[in-house]
Amino acid sequence: MNKMAKMLLTAALTVAMGVGMTASAETVVKLGTTVNEKDSFHVAALKFAELVNERTAGEYVIEIHPNGELGGEAEMLDDMSMGLLDMGIITAGPFVNFSKMMGVLDMPFLFASNEEAYTILDGEIGSELLDTLEAANLKGLAYAERGFRNISNAVKEVTNAADVENMKLRVMENEVYNKTFKTLNVNAVPMGWQDALVALQQGTVDGQENPINVFYSYSLWDYNQKYLTLDRHSYSTAIITMSLDLWNSLDEETQKVFKQAAQEAAEHERAWVAEQEGAQLATIKEHGVVVCEAPDADSFRAAVGPVYEAYPQYAEYISRIQAALAK
């Protein structure tokens, strides 16, 4: 369904609800993700729903739609920006298409640890970046976690940057990720996650890049992914996002509830990811995946250096991030 059709349908439903229907005692808020119920995004969504229901005494009910039921990530962001979808938990990648400055968070090797990422995301810089989404009619509430991204493939073990040259890898639909992998001389193929799973299964791409919890929750060993390299080339956030129209319709007290619930759900999900990662990695190995846990990270860092030169618009934010982490 195209954007105009969606808008006309929404308008028609709104009129229909006003004729012959009484308002419910509760307000249902639809929240979409593209992940399955084993994924950390679903953990965050469940916690958020629990907290909102509890703190609004059932006035607001969060209705979770996993598995891409409400569309792909870019489509859900489009729908939120038009006021056609209430909420989503969306991987950071597509946000650069709605706010150019969000791309700074996609820069390779920007953070050395989860703690560094949290320092920036939960602080002044992270808040500023979320505020830039309002120009696209989106409200960013909090940064959940996708995690440090790693390369997997069906071809060979990757231990250094030279090993990935000429591989065909699926990457997120994001300019910085494309630039990063093209700088590594990879044949980067941007596509949504559901399409990526089909491409991996059919062998039309050699591999992909994602955190351990994604590799595990989607059993990527069943998608021809025989080799996993923990290169940690980029830390990826997941933003708990709301339509700005819906946000503006809430009273100030309810806004506080939603924002605090989102932050607590994000922190809950981060802790869950950390607790699960060791066992998930062990299971991945048990399924015969060859895991390179200590690749030549310096070779990757050196190879992607030109990416920083390609984005001078991020220089000020990068300097501020580095200064904040040096304190």
Side-chain angles (χ1 to χ4, degrees):
M1 186 182 295
N2 62 35
K3 292 182 182 179
M4 182 57 69
K6 287 180 178 178
M7 293 177 76
L8 291 172
L9 177 59
T10 300
L13 289 173
T14 300
V15 172
M17 288 177 67
V19 180
M21 290 185 70
T22 57
S24 170
E26 64 185 32
T27 298
V28 175
V29 175
K30 290 187 176 182
L31 184 155
T33 75
T34 61
V35 302
N36 62 29
E37 292 87 342
K38 292 168 62 179
D39 192 274
S40 65
F41 287 15
H42 195 71
V43 171
L46 289 172
K47 188 65 175 179
F48 177 73
E50 173 194 325
L51 293 173
V52 168
N53 184 270
E54 173 188 300
R55 293 173 185 177
T56 65
E59 182 179 349
Y60 286 87
V61 174
I62 308 300
E63 185 178 282
I64 302 168
H65 293 263
N67 297 302
E69 291 175 10
L70 303 181
E73 291 191 321
E75 183 182 359
M76 284 194 287
L77 283 171
D78 271 334
D79 286 351
M80 279 187 272
S81 72
M82 293 187 293
L84 305 179
L85 174 62
D86 298 326
M87 295 190 68
I89 300 179
I90 310 291
T91 311
F95 282 93
V96 71
N97 301 314
F98 295 83
S99 165
K100 290 297 183 185
M101 295 316 295
M102 290 297 294
V104 68
L105 297 177
D106 300 320
M107 296 298 280
F109 299 102
L110 183 64
F111 301 118
S113 67
N114 295 71
E115 290 69 31
E116 284 192 357
Y118 305 155
T119 295
I120 299 303
L121 298 175
D122 295 341
E124 179 182 347
I125 295 173
S127 181
E128 279 182 28
L129 289 170
L130 289 181
D131 287 345
T132 67
L133 294 171
E134 295 193 15
N137 208 40
L138 298 169
K139 179 66 180 178
L141 298 180
Y143 296 94
E145 183 164 86
R146 183 36 99 205
F148 278 99
R149 304 179 75 88
N150 306 295
I151 296 169
S152 74
N153 77 93
V155 181
K156 65 179 180 179
E157 184 175 11
V158 170
T159 63
N160 57 64
D163 289 338
V164 296
E165 291 185 8
N166 300 315
M167 275 193 185
K168 193 173 185 180
L169 300 181
R170 174 268 175 178
V171 300
M172 286 193 292
E173 297 168 293
N174 173 290
E175 182 185 333
V176 176
Y177 278 89
N178 264 295
K179 181 69 174 178
T180 297
F181 279 91
K182 286 180 178 177
T183 302
L184 288 166
N185 295 314
V186 165
N187 182 359
V189 183
M191 64 176 73
W193 183 236
Q194 297 304 318
D195 291 334
L197 290 172
V198 174
L200 289 170
Q201 196 157 48
Q202 294 179 344
T204 54
V205 296
D206 298 320
Q208 58 86 59
E209 47 86 42
N210 253 310
I212 290 170
N213 66 78
V214 175
F215 195 104
Y216 169 82
S217 63
Y218 281 89
S219 305
L220 290 187
W221 52 83
D222 290 333
Y223 291 81
N224 303 313
Q225 297 302 280
K226 301 174 184 177
Y227 304 96
L228 174 62
T229 300
L230 306 187
D231 60 295
R232 295 164 64 87
H233 54 266
S234 179
Y235 177 86
S236 182
T237 65
I239 302 177
I240 302 176
T241 314
M242 171 181 272
S243 164
L244 188 60
D245 289 343
L246 176 57
W247 172 262
N248 288 336
S249 75
L250 304 176
D251 61 57
E252 186 176 350
E253 202 57 41
T254 305
Q255 287 179 346
K256 289 179 182 177
V257 168
F258 270 67
K259 190 163 180 60
Q260 184 59 35
Q263 182 63 32
E264 291 182 28
E267 293 177 10
H268 171 78
E269 184 248 9
R270 293 172 185 171
W272 184 89
V273 169
E275 290 170 3
Q276 300 294 317
E277 193 168 272
Q280 290 175 346
L281 188 59
T283 299
I284 290 168
K285 291 176 182 178
E286 287 170 6
H287 281 86
V289 178
V290 176
V291 180
C292 177
E293 297 190 52
D296 181 1
D298 288 340
S299 71
F300 283 97
R301 290 191 190 94
V304 300
V307 177
Y308 280 77
E309 298 170 13
Y311 293 97
Q313 64 267 41
Y314 298 148
E316 182 180 349
Y317 265 121
I318 290 169
S319 294
R320 288 178 61 194
I321 288 169
Q322 292 171 342
L325 294 177
K327 290 180 180 178

